[in-house]
Amino acid sequence: MSELSYPPAVPGPDVEAVPGPPGRPGEFVGRSPGRLAWMRLRRDRTARASAVTLAVAALVALGAPLLGRLTGIDPTDKFVDRLNDFGMPIGYAGGISSDHWLGLEPGSGRDILMQLVYGLRTSLFIAFASALLASGIGVAVGVLAGWARGWLDGVVNWLIDLTLAFPFLIFALAVIPILQDRFYSDREAPSPAFRVALIVATFGLFSWTYTARLVRGQVISLREREFVDAARAAGAGTAHILLRQLLPNIWAPILVTVSLMVPQFIAIEAALAFVNIGVTEPTPDLGRMIFNSIGYVASDPWYTLFPGLTVFLLVLAFNLLGDALRDALDPRSTR
């Protein structure tokens, strides 16, 4: 009787072939979810392009002081001698030259490149700080509600519904000036650090609801799983179960939520600065640059183009990377 022959095993997407020593067959080793997600991201051209764009933006923002030392230009320096009698930059395309690569601001004479670089730094700091604060509050509230259940879960859901009832942008337009007047008089200008901290606190305290609902649902679905019962049977306390058993299993949706919050906060911060409620002078800001350029759109469109294009590319790159990250972390994804 002839011996049956079987086709060689072909590794699936969740395993990889590891060659064995000479004379011995190799073996298949399973890939971890994190490794699978990393492989999907590496194959995604859109994710790679978005990651490179954001990495360059982060390096430029972090290297803003170094760029200032290399060029010898501070973002507050005014080159009024290079403006004409109407306050417009002298030269081609808004005063672009070897000394001022993106030209000068009409009226003030400040270097647009330095304003742009430091404004990028301000926008990224506010967006990331707000996203981390909102995610931290949302994770803590969601874990607490999902684990405790009962009346505490009902109170948290009521609080979430109450928070969602407030139109966020309208509330921000109202609460920021009120709090500023509470700490500063009409004759005092608020410090830049106070205004940035106020914006971050407003964003974080009113943007945690989606994360809380997401984490609550994940905790409810995991709290009765076998590994949680095993931890209880082994004598593990509540803190150990929450921090060592549940949270490591829900980090993927939290990470996706953070990646999608950042572009939202960049756009909202630019909108607040556009209506003169966001970051104030002399702190550089992309939204305020767009606001200041409204009166010069016809005479100097370059002044509007550079900050507007920067905000557009930032928001687009973060959104595309967030979508790619969501697909990569989804175990049912075929990408």
Side-chain angles (χ1 to χ4, degrees):
M1 184 175 181
S2 61
E3 184 177 346
L4 296 176
S5 60
Y6 297 94
V10 179
D14 56 344
V15 296
E16 60 180 337
V18 178
R24 297 184 59 184
E27 58 181 357
F28 296 132
V29 179
R31 297 190 179 105
S32 65
R35 183 174 176 82
L36 286 172
W38 174 245
M39 293 176 61
R40 293 192 185 105
L41 281 177
R42 289 180 58 185
R43 290 197 300 263
D44 194 331
R45 296 181 179 179
T46 303
R48 293 201 304 268
S50 301
V52 170
T53 302
L54 296 177
V56 171
L59 289 176
V60 170
L62 292 175
L66 177 60
L67 181 62
R69 285 195 292 269
L70 291 176
T71 59
I73 300 175
D74 191 80
T76 58
D77 291 342
K78 298 181 179 181
F79 300 90
V80 293
D81 58 321
R82 301 194 179 186
L83 303 178
N84 60 23
D85 295 338
F86 301 98
M88 300 300 296
I90 300 173
Y92 175 75
I96 293 179
S97 64
S98 58
D99 295 329
H100 307 285
W101 295 352
L102 299 183
L104 299 173
E105 285 186 340
S108 65
R110 294 180 298 191
D111 186 84
I112 292 180
L113 176 61
M114 297 308 301
Q115 284 285 311
L116 195 69
V117 170
Y118 276 88
L120 179 65
R121 193 181 195 189
T122 303
S123 296
L124 288 178
F125 173 79
I126 291 177
F128 273 105
S130 303
L132 292 177
L133 177 60
S135 299
I137 297 174
V139 169
V141 173
V143 168
L144 182 63
W147 180 260
R149 304 293 296 274
W151 67 269
L152 184 58
D153 187 22
V155 171
V156 170
N157 281 324
W158 177 82
L159 183 60
I160 291 175
D161 293 336
L162 181 64
T163 305
L164 290 175
F166 289 99
F168 172 69
L169 187 57
I170 297 177
F171 183 83
L173 292 173
V175 72
I176 291 178
I178 291 175
L179 292 178
Q180 176 180 311
D181 294 339
R182 175 66 178 81
F183 292 95
Y184 291 88
S185 64
D186 295 337
R187 298 181 179 180
E188 293 179 298
S191 65
F194 173 82
R195 180 58 74 93
V196 170
L198 184 57
I199 294 174
V200 171
T202 304
F203 285 0
L205 293 176
F206 288 90
S207 302
W208 55 270
T209 51
Y210 178 76
T211 304
R213 280 188 166 173
L214 176 66
V215 172
R216 172 184 172 273
Q218 294 288 324
V219 171
I220 290 176
S221 65
L222 294 175
R223 67 192 304 269
E224 304 299 337
R225 297 285 291 273
E226 291 81 2
F227 66 93
V228 177
D229 293 336
R232 288 197 192 99
T238 301
H240 174 87
I241 294 175
L242 294 178
L243 298 178
R244 303 295 297 275
Q245 302 295 330
L246 293 181
L247 281 181
N249 285 281
I250 60 176
W251 67 270
I254 295 174
L255 183 60
V256 173
T257 303
V258 173
S259 67
L260 295 177
M261 274 187 182
V262 173
Q264 176 186 0
F265 289 141
I266 290 176
I268 295 177
E269 189 274 329
L272 291 179
F274 188 81
V275 295
N276 207 25
I277 298 296
V279 179
T280 56
E281 296 282 3
T283 306
D285 183 76
L286 297 177
R288 198 180 63 251
M289 289 181 68
I290 300 175
F291 172 75
N292 293 338
S293 68
I294 294 177
Y296 304 99
V297 172
S299 56
D300 188 5
W302 299 97
Y303 183 27
T304 306
L305 175 65
F306 293 128
L309 185 61
T310 302
V311 173
F312 171 77
L313 290 177
L314 277 178
V315 174
L316 178 64
F318 269 113
N319 280 323
L320 292 177
L321 183 61
D323 291 339
L325 187 62
R326 179 179 55 197
D327 293 335
L329 293 173
D330 186 358
R332 297 168 296 181
S333 176
T334 59
R335 293 182 61 177

